[in-house]
Amino acid sequence: MMTTTNQKMEGKRGEENHSKNSTLSSSKVEKMQGILDEDSTGGWDKCWEQGLTPWDLDQPTPVLLQLLDKETLPKGRVLVPGCGAGHDVIAIANPERYVVGLELSENAIKRAIEVSSSSPNAKYFEFIETDFFTWRPTELFDLIFDYTFFCAIEPRMRASWGKRIHELLKPDGELITLMFPTDDRDGGPPYKVSVADYEEVLHPWGFKATSITDNELAVGRRRVCDIF
């Protein structure tokens, strides 16, 4: 399902740049975590306001673009929870797919509207500032795409996440979730996740994994793609 990409580093200069970028990213993560420790809800908006968004790729998720290119995504209504600046929402939207991007942060929504202002498919998507766990749409979804959302919520909220996915997805709908991070760690966000963590909260609702694969197009160590 996935193919490798050519992302070679060129000599010592490439290694030094990679190290520098990793250090900057770690610093942003630490500052982000400090803000969220003080305010677990409003802190996300503060992070967007201050530009502390190390999860934001400033482009659509590479593996998503591959799935779109292969025309393997379901058609119909699509939900992207924790959509951030909306790059994935914009990429998915077309006459065959209407996409709803959810965000808790007002500043993220403003950024998403700015990023999408020139999109030719603007009538096929919308951004809503709301809480994923309390939002009640009038229609269910054919596809839910979750990337850096599950890992951002506190582990105690994961069972509620599973319930909401079940409530929002059509009975024959599809969930695509990219697992990250999968390394050993304490605290977060991002919080450590595993296949077992997803199975624990999704199996009670009748979900079954149809595909679990290494994501060779992933940025950095964001490697695994699950489809339920």
Side-chain angles (χ1 to χ4, degrees):
M1 180 177 176
M2 309 301 172
T3 59
T4 58
T5 55
N6 185 12
Q7 297 179 343
K8 295 186 293 183
M9 291 185 182
E10 298 183 0
K12 186 175 181 181
R13 179 177 297 177
E15 294 176 0
E16 289 174 349
N17 288 338
H18 177 72
S19 177
K20 180 179 180 181
N21 290 337
S22 297
T23 300
L24 290 172
S25 178
S26 296
S27 176
K28 281 192 172 184
V29 170
E30 290 175 1
K31 291 178 180 178
M32 173 197 74
Q33 291 172 340
I35 290 173
L36 293 171
D37 282 343
E38 296 179 0
D39 185 355
S40 60
T41 301
W44 292 107
D45 197 45
K46 293 177 183 176
C47 287
W48 277 100
E49 183 180 27
Q50 297 178 30
L52 296 174
T53 56
W55 61 86
D56 182 28
L57 300 179
D58 200 31
Q59 65 180 20
T61 305
V63 70
L64 175 62
L65 293 179
Q66 185 189 64
L67 294 173
L68 287 166
D69 185 58
K70 290 188 174 184
E71 299 184 352
T72 58
L73 291 184
K75 297 177 176 62
R77 286 174 55 80
V78 182
L79 177 65
V80 182
C83 67
H87 297 286
D88 292 335
V89 171
I90 300 165
I92 297 171
N94 62 32
E96 296 180 324
R97 296 187 189 89
Y98 187 84
V99 190
V100 178
L102 295 188
E103 251 301 337
L104 192 62
S105 165
E106 178 183 1
N107 280 298
I109 290 291
K110 289 179 179 178
R111 175 60 179 155
I113 292 173
E114 178 185 340
V115 168
S116 65
S117 60
S118 60
S119 171
N121 288 326
K123 63 181 179 181
Y124 302 117
F125 63 80
E126 65 179 306
F127 298 107
I128 301 176
E129 181 188 342
T130 190
D131 186 337
F132 168 80
F133 294 99
T134 59
W135 180 58
R136 295 292 182 268
T138 57
E139 297 181 64
L140 300 181
F141 293 90
D142 299 278
L143 169 67
I144 297 178
F145 180 72
D146 181 313
Y147 185 35
T148 69
F149 183 68
F150 183 85
C151 69
I153 60 175
E154 295 181 17
R156 64 181 178 83
M157 296 294 293
R158 288 176 176 176
S160 296
W161 175 91
K163 180 181 179 183
R164 289 299 289 141
I165 293 293
H166 167 71
E167 292 171 344
L168 294 169
L169 199 61
K170 291 180 180 179
D172 59 347
E174 188 172 293
L175 165 67
I176 298 179
T177 177
L178 276 68
M179 290 175 49
F180 167 80
T182 56
D183 55 330
D184 289 329
R185 61 172 55 214
D186 294 320
Y191 297 94
K192 177 187 175 183
V193 299
S194 67
V195 172
D197 291 326
Y198 284 94
E199 292 176 339
E200 181 180 355
V201 298
L202 290 173
H203 280 186
W205 299 106
F207 284 86
K208 294 182 179 179
T210 60
S211 175
I212 301 176
T213 180
D214 285 341
N215 173 14
E216 296 299 335
L217 297 180
V219 177
R221 292 177 295 171
R222 306 178 186 185
R223 285 291 175 200
V224 183
C225 176
D226 290 3
I227 301 179
F228 289 85

